[in-house]
Amino acid sequence: MNKSELVDAIAKDTGLTKKDSEAALKSFIENVSKAVESGDDVQLIGFGTFTTATRAERTGRNPSTGKEITIPASKSPKFKPGKAFKDRVNK
């Protein structure tokens, strides 16, 4: 399912117009992104939790030259599915 198909499904389920459904989806994505960017968790009971994971600086190797390089520390978004979501997928 891509974004336009998701917008169509939301519009069908809620009775909203496609334009309003797309606006709601964009708002959801933007607000989750802002919260995770600022270090907050977004917990949706039954669905899952969006969090930020921190990766420490580490030493890697350039595959073409074999030279050691330093990979800087970074943050990345994570999603941990909730129990109800996992159960639904595994039924």
Side-chain angles (χ1 to χ4, degrees):
M1 176 181 279
N2 62 30
K3 184 177 177 182
S4 64
E5 292 170 339
L6 181 56
V7 168
D8 290 343
I10 292 170
K12 181 181 174 188
D13 289 347
T14 63
L16 296 172
T17 65
K18 287 184 183 181
K19 186 176 181 179
D20 289 342
S21 297
E22 184 173 9
L25 180 59
K26 282 183 179 180
S27 176
F28 171 78
I29 292 169
E30 181 63 25
N31 283 292
V32 169
S33 298
K34 281 182 188 176
V36 172
E37 178 184 13
S38 69
D40 294 334
D41 292 350
V42 178
Q43 185 177 32
L44 304 172
I45 303 297
F47 182 68
T49 304
F50 297 90
T51 60
T52 303
T54 303
R55 299 182 73 177
E57 184 177 281
R58 61 197 189 281
T59 303
R61 194 170 296 277
N62 183 331
S64 61
T65 64
K67 182 181 176 187
E68 283 193 357
I69 58 173
T70 300
I71 302 169
S74 64
K75 292 181 182 178
S76 63
K78 285 182 74 173
F79 175 74
K80 181 179 178 188
K83 183 179 181 335
F85 186 35
K86 284 193 252 182
D87 290 346
R88 186 170 184 166
V89 170
N90 288 311
K91 71 175 177 178

